[in-house]
Structures are given as C-alpha cells and as structure tokens.
Amino acid sequence: MSEGYNTAEEAIQAGIDAGGVDEFEGMNCNDSLFDDDQAECAGWDGVDRRCDCGNRRVSWETGQYDNGKFYAYGVAY
Ligand SMILES: [Zn+2]
C-alpha cells in the first residue's frame, strides 16, 4: 500500500481490508511477556478497540505522502 490512497478514509478502509497491522506505534505488548508460555501479541485487526492481546487500545491515524496521497497506520493511545 506504499502508493497511497486518495482519501484518509480509503487508506483506513484498505488497512482494515488487509486485516489490520502486525505492529502499531506504541506497541509494547511483547515487552511485558515474562512467561514463555504466553502467546506474543499478533498486532491489531484494525477493527477492535484493543490489540490482539488486549494490552493496548489502538486506533487508526493517517498521514500524507509528499505526493498528496494518504496512508494509515495503527497507534496505541
Ligand atoms: Zn497486544
């Protein structure tokens, strides 16, 4: 999706259609895994309020490339 999208909404929808993101900004889920039996966080599906492991609340943020096209990424807040 590096070419970007015409609108921020399109960029977000494309992210959701792609199944979300494996990593997001502020993702520290796997830092707090002390138990080896615990599954690592699989990221964020782009729809739920929280990431896969439930540690962080995540939402879409969008930015614009120099060419004016939009991109979307996940950010914990
Ligand atoms: Zn997580």
Side-chain angles (χ1 to χ4, degrees):
M1 62 170 78
S2 59
E3 73 277 12
Y5 297 89
N6 293 324
T7 66
E9 288 75 18
E10 273 184 41
I12 291 173
Q13 187 59 52
I16 293 171
D17 290 346
V21 294
D22 293 334
E23 291 185 14
F24 48 85
E25 222 169 86
M27 179 177 180
N28 63 352
C29 307
N30 298 332
D31 296 346
S32 57
L33 294 181
F34 300 109
D35 185 349
D36 286 342
D37 293 334
Q38 199 172 355
E40 289 195 352
C41 181
W44 180 51
D45 68 2
V47 178
D48 280 352
R49 286 173 178 272
R50 288 180 179 274
C51 67
D52 174 62
C53 74
N55 184 44
R56 302 301 304 265
R57 289 168 62 99
V58 194
S59 66
W60 289 109
E61 292 284 336
T62 55
Q64 252 179 311
Y65 294 114
D66 289 341
N67 65 8
K69 300 279 192 175
F70 289 86
Y71 60 92
Y73 56 100
V75 179
Y77 62 99

Coordinates of all heavy atoms in Angstrom, one line a residue:
M1 N 0.8 -1.2 0.0 CA 0.0 0.0 0.0 C 0.9 1.3 0.0 O 0.5 2.3 0.5 CB -0.9 0.0 1.2 CG -0.3 0.0 2.6 SD -1.4 0.3 3.9 CE -2.1 -1.4 4.1
S2 N 2.1 1.1 -0.5 CA 3.0 2.2 -0.4 C 2.7 3.4 -1.4 O 3.1 4.5 -1.2 CB 4.4 1.7 -0.7 OG 4.5 1.2 -2.0
E3 N 1.8 3.1 -2.4 CA 1.5 4.2 -3.3 C 0.5 5.2 -2.8 O 0.4 6.2 -3.3 CB 1.0 3.6 -4.6 CG -0.4 3.0 -4.6 CD -0.5 1.6 -4.0 OE1 0.6 1.1 -3.5 OE2 -1.5 1.0 -4.1
G4 N -0.2 4.8 -1.7 CA -1.1 5.7 -1.0 C -2.5 5.7 -1.6 O -2.8 5.0 -2.6
Y5 N -3.4 6.4 -0.9 CA -4.8 6.4 -1.3 C -5.2 7.9 -1.4 O -4.6 8.8 -0.8 CB -5.6 5.7 -0.2 CG -5.2 4.2 -0.2 CD1 -4.2 3.8 0.7 CD2 -5.8 3.3 -1.0 CE1 -3.8 2.5 0.7 CE2 -5.5 2.0 -1.0 CZ -4.5 1.6 -0.2 OH -4.1 0.2 -0.2
N6 N -6.3 8.1 -2.1 CA -6.8 9.4 -2.4 C -7.4 10.1 -1.2 O -7.4 11.3 -1.1 CB -7.8 9.4 -3.6 CG -7.2 9.0 -4.9 OD1 -6.1 9.3 -5.2 ND2 -7.9 8.2 -5.7
T7 N -8.0 9.3 -0.3 CA -8.5 10.0 0.9 C -8.1 9.2 2.1 O -7.7 8.0 2.1 CB -10.1 9.9 0.9 OG1 -10.5 8.6 0.9 CG2 -10.6 10.6 -0.4
A8 N -8.2 9.8 3.3 CA -7.8 9.2 4.6 C -8.7 8.0 4.8 O -8.3 7.0 5.3 CB -7.9 10.2 5.7
E9 N -10.0 8.2 4.5 CA -11.0 7.1 4.7 C -10.6 5.9 3.9 O -10.7 4.7 4.3 CB -12.4 7.6 4.3 CG -13.0 8.6 5.3 CD -12.4 10.0 5.1 OE1 -11.8 10.2 4.1 OE2 -12.5 10.8 6.1
E10 N -10.2 6.1 2.6 CA -9.7 5.0 1.8 C -8.5 4.2 2.4 O -8.4 3.0 2.3 CB -9.4 5.5 0.4 CG -10.5 5.5 -0.6 CD -10.1 6.0 -2.0 OE1 -9.0 5.5 -2.4 OE2 -10.8 6.8 -2.6
A11 N -7.6 5.0 2.9 CA -6.4 4.4 3.5 C -6.8 3.5 4.7 O -6.2 2.4 4.8 CB -5.4 5.5 3.9
I12 N -7.7 4.0 5.5 CA -8.1 3.3 6.7 C -8.8 2.0 6.3 O -8.6 0.9 6.8 CB -9.0 4.1 7.6 CG1 -8.1 5.2 8.2 CG2 -9.6 3.3 8.7 CD1 -8.9 6.2 9.1
Q13 N -9.7 2.2 5.3 CA -10.5 1.0 4.8 C -9.6 -0.1 4.3 O -9.8 -1.3 4.5 CB -11.5 1.4 3.8 CG -12.5 0.3 3.4 CD -13.3 -0.2 4.6 OE1 -13.9 0.5 5.3 NE2 -13.2 -1.5 4.8
A14 N -8.6 0.4 3.5 CA -7.6 -0.6 3.0 C -6.9 -1.3 4.1 O -6.6 -2.5 4.0 CB -6.6 0.2 2.1
G15 N -6.6 -0.6 5.2 CA -5.9 -1.2 6.3 C -6.8 -2.3 6.9 O -6.3 -3.3 7.3
I16 N -8.0 -2.0 7.1 CA -9.0 -2.9 7.7 C -9.1 -4.1 6.7 O -9.1 -5.3 7.2 CB -10.4 -2.2 7.9 CG1 -10.2 -1.2 9.0 CG2 -11.4 -3.3 8.2 CD1 -11.5 -0.3 9.1
D17 N -9.3 -3.9 5.4 CA -9.4 -4.9 4.5 C -8.2 -5.9 4.5 O -8.3 -7.1 4.2 CB -9.6 -4.4 3.0 CG -11.0 -3.7 2.9 OD1 -11.8 -3.9 3.7 OD2 -11.1 -3.0 1.9
A18 N -7.0 -5.3 4.8 CA -5.8 -6.1 4.8 C -5.7 -6.9 6.1 O -4.7 -7.6 6.3 CB -4.6 -5.2 4.6
G19 N -6.6 -6.7 7.0 CA -6.6 -7.5 8.2 C -5.9 -6.8 9.4 O -5.5 -7.4 10.3
G20 N -5.7 -5.5 9.2 CA -5.0 -4.7 10.3 C -3.5 -4.7 10.1 O -3.0 -4.8 9.0
V21 N -2.8 -4.6 11.2 CA -1.4 -4.4 11.2 C -0.7 -5.4 12.2 O -1.3 -5.8 13.2 CB -1.0 -3.0 11.6 CG1 -1.4 -2.0 10.5 CG2 -1.6 -2.6 12.9
D22 N 0.5 -5.8 11.9 CA 1.2 -6.7 12.7 C 1.8 -5.9 13.9 O 2.0 -6.4 15.0 CB 2.3 -7.4 12.0 CG 1.8 -8.4 10.9 OD1 0.7 -8.9 11.1 OD2 2.5 -8.6 10.0
E23 N 2.2 -4.7 13.6 CA 2.7 -3.8 14.7 C 2.1 -2.4 14.6 O 1.7 -2.0 13.5 CB 4.2 -3.7 14.5 CG 5.0 -5.0 14.8 CD 6.5 -4.8 14.7 OE1 6.9 -3.6 14.7 OE2 7.2 -5.8 14.7
F24 N 2.0 -1.8 15.7 CA 1.5 -0.4 15.7 C 2.4 0.5 16.5 O 3.2 0.0 17.3 CB 0.0 -0.4 16.1 CG -0.2 -1.1 17.4 CD1 0.0 -0.6 18.6 CD2 -0.6 -2.5 17.4 CE1 -0.2 -1.3 19.8 CE2 -0.8 -3.2 18.5 CZ -0.6 -2.6 19.8
E25 N 2.2 1.8 16.4 CA 3.0 2.7 17.1 C 2.7 2.6 18.6 O 1.5 2.6 19.0 CB 2.7 4.1 16.6 CG 3.9 5.0 16.5 CD 3.6 6.3 15.8 OE1 3.2 7.2 16.4 OE2 3.8 6.3 14.5
G26 N 3.7 2.5 19.5 CA 3.4 2.4 20.9 C 3.2 0.9 21.3 O 2.8 0.7 22.5
M27 N 3.4 0.0 20.4 CA 3.2 -1.4 20.8 C 4.3 -1.9 21.7 O 5.4 -1.9 21.3 CB 3.1 -2.2 19.5 CG 2.9 -3.7 19.7 SD 2.9 -4.6 18.2 CE 2.6 -6.3 18.7
N28 N 3.9 -2.2 22.9 CA 4.9 -2.7 23.9 C 4.4 -4.0 24.5 O 4.9 -4.4 25.5 CB 5.1 -1.6 25.0 CG 3.9 -1.4 25.8 OD1 2.8 -1.9 25.4 ND2 4.0 -0.6 26.8
C29 N 3.5 -4.6 23.8 CA 2.8 -5.8 24.4 C 3.9 -6.9 24.7 O 3.9 -7.5 25.8 CB 1.8 -6.4 23.4 SG 0.6 -5.2 22.8
N30 N 4.8 -7.2 23.7 CA 5.7 -8.3 23.9 C 6.8 -8.0 24.9 O 7.5 -8.9 25.3 CB 6.3 -8.7 22.6 CG 5.2 -9.2 21.6 OD1 4.1 -9.7 22.0 ND2 5.4 -9.0 20.3
D31 N 7.0 -6.7 25.3 CA 8.0 -6.3 26.3 C 7.6 -6.8 27.6 O 8.5 -7.1 28.5 CB 8.1 -4.8 26.3 CG 8.6 -4.3 25.0 OD1 9.1 -5.1 24.2 OD2 8.5 -3.0 24.8
S32 N 6.3 -7.0 27.9 CA 5.8 -7.4 29.2 C 5.5 -8.9 29.3 O 4.9 -9.3 30.3 CB 4.6 -6.6 29.5 OG 3.6 -6.8 28.6
L33 N 6.0 -9.6 28.4 CA 5.8 -11.1 28.5 C 6.9 -11.7 29.3 O 8.0 -11.9 28.8 CB 5.8 -11.7 27.1 CG 4.6 -11.3 26.2 CD1 4.7 -12.0 24.8 CD2 3.3 -11.6 26.8
F34 N 6.6 -12.1 30.5 CA 7.6 -12.7 31.3 C 7.5 -14.3 31.2 O 8.4 -15.0 31.5 CB 7.5 -12.3 32.8 CG 7.6 -10.8 32.9 CD1 6.6 -10.0 33.2 CD2 8.9 -10.2 32.7 CE1 6.7 -8.7 33.4 CE2 9.0 -8.9 32.9 CZ 7.9 -8.1 33.2
D35 N 6.3 -14.7 30.8 CA 6.0 -16.1 30.8 C 6.2 -16.6 29.3 O 5.5 -16.1 28.4 CB 4.6 -16.4 31.3 CG 4.3 -17.8 31.3 OD1 5.1 -18.6 30.8 OD2 3.2 -18.2 31.9
D36 N 7.1 -17.5 29.1 CA 7.3 -18.0 27.8 C 6.1 -18.7 27.2 O 6.0 -18.9 26.0 CB 8.5 -19.0 27.8 CG 9.8 -18.3 28.0 OD1 9.9 -17.0 27.8 OD2 10.8 -18.9 28.3
D37 N 5.2 -19.2 28.0 CA 4.1 -19.9 27.5 C 3.0 -18.9 27.0 O 2.1 -19.3 26.2 CB 3.4 -20.7 28.7 CG 4.3 -21.8 29.1 OD1 5.1 -22.3 28.3 OD2 4.2 -22.3 30.3
Q38 N 3.2 -17.7 27.3 CA 2.2 -16.7 26.9 C 2.4 -16.3 25.4 O 3.6 -16.2 24.9 CB 2.4 -15.4 27.7 CG 1.2 -14.5 27.7 CD 1.3 -13.3 28.7 OE1 2.3 -13.3 29.4 NE2 0.4 -12.4 28.6
A39 N 1.4 -16.3 24.6 CA 1.5 -16.1 23.2 C 1.8 -14.6 23.0 O 1.4 -13.7 23.7 CB 0.2 -16.4 22.5
E40 N 2.7 -14.4 22.0 CA 3.0 -13.0 21.6 C 1.8 -12.3 21.0 O 1.0 -12.9 20.4 CB 4.2 -13.0 20.7 CG 5.5 -13.4 21.3 CD 6.7 -13.0 20.4 OE1 6.5 -12.6 19.3 OE2 7.8 -13.1 20.9
C41 N 1.8 -11.0 21.2 CA 0.7 -10.2 20.6 C 0.8 -10.3 19.0 O 1.9 -10.1 18.5 CB 0.8 -8.8 21.0 SG -0.5 -7.7 20.4
A42 N -0.3 -10.6 18.4 CA -0.4 -10.7 17.0 C -0.6 -9.4 16.3 O -0.9 -9.3 15.1 CB -1.4 -11.7 16.6
G43 N -0.7 -8.3 17.0 CA -0.9 -7.0 16.4 C -2.3 -6.5 16.6 O -2.9 -6.8 17.6
W44 N -2.9 -5.9 15.6 CA -4.2 -5.3 15.7 C -5.0 -5.6 14.4 O -4.4 -5.4 13.3 CB -4.1 -3.8 15.9 CG -5.3 -3.0 16.1 CD1 -6.4 -3.3 16.9 CD2 -5.7 -1.8 15.3 NE1 -7.4 -2.4 16.7 CE2 -7.0 -1.5 15.8 CE3 -5.0 -1.1 14.4 CZ2 -7.6 -0.4 15.3 CZ3 -5.7 0.1 13.9 CH2 -7.0 0.4 14.4
D45 N -6.2 -5.9 14.6 CA -7.0 -6.3 13.4 C -7.6 -5.1 12.7 O -8.3 -5.2 11.6 CB -8.1 -7.4 13.7 CG -9.2 -6.8 14.6 OD1 -9.1 -5.6 14.9 OD2 -10.1 -7.6 15.0
G46 N -7.5 -3.9 13.3 CA -8.0 -2.7 12.6 C -9.4 -2.4 12.9 O -9.9 -1.4 12.5
V47 N -10.1 -3.3 13.7 CA -11.5 -3.1 14.0 C -11.7 -3.0 15.5 O -12.4 -2.1 15.9 CB -12.3 -4.2 13.4 CG1 -13.8 -4.1 13.7 CG2 -12.1 -4.3 11.8
D48 N -11.2 -3.9 16.2 CA -11.3 -4.0 17.7 C -10.8 -2.7 18.3 O -9.9 -2.1 17.8 CB -10.6 -5.2 18.3 CG -11.4 -6.4 18.1 OD1 -12.6 -6.3 17.7 OD2 -10.9 -7.5 18.4
R49 N -11.3 -2.4 19.5 CA -10.8 -1.3 20.2 C -9.4 -1.6 20.8 O -8.6 -0.7 21.0 CB -11.6 -0.9 21.4 CG -12.9 -0.2 21.0 CD -13.8 -0.1 22.3 NE -15.1 0.6 22.0 CZ -15.2 1.9 22.0 NH1 -14.2 2.7 22.3 NH2 -16.3 2.5 21.7
R50 N -9.1 -2.9 21.0 CA -7.8 -3.3 21.6 C -7.1 -4.2 20.6 O -7.6 -4.8 19.7 CB -8.0 -4.0 22.9 CG -8.5 -3.0 24.0 CD -8.7 -3.7 25.3 NE -9.1 -2.8 26.3 CZ -8.2 -2.0 27.1 NH1 -6.9 -2.2 26.9 NH2 -8.7 -1.2 28.0
C51 N -5.8 -4.3 20.9 CA -4.9 -5.2 20.1 C -5.2 -6.6 20.4 O -6.0 -6.9 21.3 CB -3.5 -4.8 20.3 SG -2.8 -5.2 22.0
D52 N -4.5 -7.5 19.7 CA -4.8 -8.9 19.8 C -4.7 -9.4 21.3 O -5.6 -10.2 21.7 CB -3.8 -9.7 18.9 CG -3.9 -11.2 19.1 OD1 -5.0 -11.7 18.8 OD2 -2.9 -11.8 19.6
C53 N -3.7 -9.0 22.0 CA -3.6 -9.5 23.4 C -4.3 -8.7 24.4 O -4.4 -9.0 25.6 CB -2.1 -9.5 23.8 SG -1.4 -7.9 24.1
G54 N -4.9 -7.6 24.0 CA -5.8 -6.8 24.9 C -5.0 -5.8 25.7 O -5.6 -5.1 26.5
N55 N -3.7 -5.7 25.5 CA -2.8 -4.8 26.3 C -3.0 -3.3 26.0 O -3.0 -2.5 26.9 CB -1.4 -5.2 26.1 CG -0.4 -4.4 27.0 OD1 -0.7 -4.2 28.2 ND2 0.6 -3.9 26.4
R56 N -3.2 -3.0 24.7 CA -3.3 -1.6 24.3 C -4.5 -1.3 23.5 O -5.0 -2.2 22.8 CB -2.1 -1.3 23.4 CG -0.7 -1.5 24.0 CD -0.5 -0.7 25.3 NE -0.7 0.7 25.1 CZ 0.3 1.6 24.9 NH1 1.5 1.2 24.8 NH2 0.0 2.9 24.7
R57 N -5.0 -0.1 23.7 CA -6.1 0.4 22.9 C -5.5 1.0 21.6 O -4.5 1.8 21.7 CB -6.9 1.5 23.6 CG -7.8 0.9 24.7 CD -8.3 2.0 25.6 NE -9.2 2.9 24.9 CZ -10.5 2.8 24.9 NH1 -11.1 1.9 25.6 NH2 -11.2 3.7 24.2
V58 N -6.0 0.7 20.5 CA -5.4 1.1 19.2 C -6.4 1.8 18.3 O -7.6 1.4 18.3 CB -4.7 -0.1 18.5 CG1 -3.8 0.4 17.4 CG2 -4.0 -1.0 19.4
S59 N -5.9 2.8 17.6 CA -6.8 3.4 16.6 C -6.0 3.8 15.4 O -4.8 3.8 15.4 CB -7.5 4.7 17.2 OG -6.5 5.7 17.4
W60 N -6.7 4.1 14.3 CA -6.1 4.4 13.0 C -5.7 5.9 13.1 O -6.4 6.8 13.5 CB -7.0 4.2 11.9 CG -7.3 2.8 11.5 CD1 -8.4 2.1 11.7 CD2 -6.4 1.9 10.9 NE1 -8.3 0.8 11.3 CE2 -7.0 0.7 10.8 CE3 -5.1 2.0 10.5 CZ2 -6.4 -0.5 10.2 CZ3 -4.4 0.9 9.9 CH2 -5.1 -0.3 9.8
E61 N -4.5 6.2 12.6 CA -4.1 7.5 12.3 C -3.7 7.6 10.8 O -3.4 6.5 10.2 CB -2.8 7.9 13.1 CG -3.1 8.0 14.6 CD -3.8 9.3 15.0 OE1 -3.7 10.3 14.2 OE2 -4.4 9.3 16.0
T62 N -3.8 8.7 10.2 CA -3.5 8.8 8.8 C -2.4 9.9 8.6 O -2.3 10.9 9.4 CB -4.7 9.1 8.0 OG1 -5.3 10.3 8.4 CG2 -5.7 8.0 8.0
G63 N -1.7 9.8 7.6 CA -0.7 10.8 7.2 C -0.7 11.0 5.7 O -1.5 10.2 5.0
Q64 N 0.0 11.9 5.2 CA 0.0 12.2 3.7 C 1.5 12.1 3.2 O 2.4 12.6 3.8 CB -0.5 13.5 3.4 CG -1.9 13.5 2.8 CD -2.4 14.9 2.5 OE1 -2.4 15.7 3.4 NE2 -2.9 15.2 1.3
Y65 N 1.6 11.4 2.1 CA 2.9 11.4 1.4 C 3.1 12.8 0.7 O 2.2 13.6 0.6 CB 2.9 10.4 0.3 CG 2.9 8.9 0.9 CD1 1.8 8.1 0.6 CD2 3.9 8.4 1.6 CE1 1.7 6.8 1.1 CE2 3.8 7.1 2.1 CZ 2.7 6.3 1.8 OH 2.7 5.0 2.3
D66 N 4.3 13.0 0.3 CA 4.7 14.2 -0.5 C 3.8 14.4 -1.7 O 3.5 15.5 -2.1 CB 6.1 14.2 -0.9 CG 7.1 14.4 0.3 OD1 6.6 14.9 1.4 OD2 8.2 14.1 0.2
N67 N 3.4 13.3 -2.3 CA 2.5 13.3 -3.5 C 1.1 13.6 -3.2 O 0.2 13.6 -4.1 CB 2.7 12.1 -4.3 CG 2.2 10.8 -3.6 OD1 1.6 10.9 -2.5 ND2 2.4 9.7 -4.2
G68 N 0.7 13.8 -1.9 CA -0.6 14.1 -1.5 C -1.5 12.9 -1.2 O -2.6 13.1 -0.8
K69 N -0.9 11.7 -1.5 CA -1.7 10.5 -1.2 C -1.7 10.2 0.3 O -0.7 10.6 1.0 CB -1.1 9.3 -2.0 CG -1.1 9.5 -3.5 CD -2.5 9.2 -4.0 CE -2.4 9.1 -5.6 NZ -3.7 8.7 -6.2
F70 N -2.7 9.5 0.8 CA -2.8 9.2 2.2 C -2.4 7.8 2.5 O -2.4 6.9 1.7 CB -4.3 9.3 2.6 CG -4.8 10.8 2.7 CD1 -5.3 11.4 1.5 CD2 -4.7 11.5 3.9 CE1 -5.7 12.7 1.6 CE2 -5.2 12.8 3.9 CZ -5.6 13.4 2.7
Y71 N -1.9 7.6 3.8 CA -1.6 6.3 4.3 C -2.2 6.2 5.7 O -2.4 7.3 6.3 CB -0.1 6.0 4.3 CG 0.7 7.0 5.1 CD1 1.0 6.7 6.4 CD2 1.2 8.2 4.5 CE1 1.8 7.6 7.2 CE2 2.0 9.1 5.3 CZ 2.3 8.8 6.6 OH 3.0 9.7 7.3
A72 N -2.4 5.0 6.2 CA -2.9 4.8 7.5 C -2.0 3.9 8.3 O -1.4 3.0 7.7 CB -4.3 4.3 7.4
Y73 N -2.0 4.1 9.6 CA -1.2 3.3 10.5 C -1.8 3.2 11.8 O -2.6 4.1 12.2 CB 0.3 3.7 10.6 CG 0.4 5.2 11.0 CD1 0.7 5.5 12.3 CD2 0.2 6.2 10.1 CE1 0.8 6.8 12.8 CE2 0.3 7.6 10.6 CZ 0.6 7.8 11.9 OH 0.7 9.1 12.3
G74 N -1.5 2.2 12.6 CA -2.1 2.0 13.9 C -1.3 2.7 15.0 O -0.1 2.6 14.9
V75 N -2.0 3.3 15.9 CA -1.3 4.0 17.0 C -2.0 3.6 18.3 O -3.3 3.7 18.4 CB -1.3 5.5 16.8 CG1 -0.7 6.2 18.0 CG2 -0.7 5.9 15.6
A76 N -1.2 3.2 19.3 CA -1.8 3.0 20.7 C -2.0 4.3 21.4 O -1.2 5.2 21.2 CB -0.9 2.1 21.5
Y77 N -3.0 4.4 22.2 CA -3.2 5.6 23.0 C -3.7 5.4 24.4 O -3.9 4.2 24.7 CB -4.2 6.5 22.2 CG -5.6 5.9 22.0 CD1 -6.6 6.3 22.9 CD2 -5.8 5.1 21.0 CE1 -7.9 5.7 22.7 CE2 -7.1 4.5 20.8 CZ -8.1 4.9 21.6 OH -9.3 4.3 21.4
Ligands
ZN1 ZN -1.1 -6.5 22.2

